[in-house]
Amino acid sequence: GEGDQERVAQVVGQSLILALLAGGLLTLIGVPLSGWVLSAMKAEPAVVAVGIPYMQAVLAGSVARMVFSASASSMRAAGDTW
C-alpha cells in the first residue's frame, strides 16, 4: 500500500526468522516427545508403535513447512502470485 520497501523487507525478514525459530523449536521439542504425546492421549500400543515414526517425520519437516508458509504469505501480500 504505502510503497515502503524498507519496512516490507524488515517485516518479511522478521517473519522468516520467526518461522525458522518456531519450526526449529517444534522439531526439537516434538520429535523426542512424540511417544509421550501419544501415551498421554492414551493411544493403544499398536497406534503408538506406528504413530511415533509418523509424528517424528511430520515434525521433522516443521522448519521447511513454516518457512514455506511465511514465504508464500509474503509473496501473496506483495501481489506476486501465479
Side-chain angles (χ1 to χ4, degrees), residues 30-43:
V31 169
L33 294 179
S34 296
W36 179 83
V37 170
L38 290 170
S39 295
M41 294 190 313
K42 299 191 185 333

Side-chain angles (χ1 to χ4, degrees), residues 2-44:
E2 292 182 17
D4 186 355
Q5 295 301 318
E6 186 176 321
R7 179 74 176 135
V8 169
Q10 181 183 18
V11 169
V12 169
Q14 287 176 351
S15 68
L16 290 175
I17 290 170
L18 183 59
L20 284 168
L21 292 174
L25 188 63
L26 185 59
T27 299
L28 290 173
I29 292 172
V31 169
L33 294 179
S34 296
W36 179 83
V37 170
L38 290 170
S39 295
M41 294 190 313
K42 299 191 185 333
E44 300 210 6

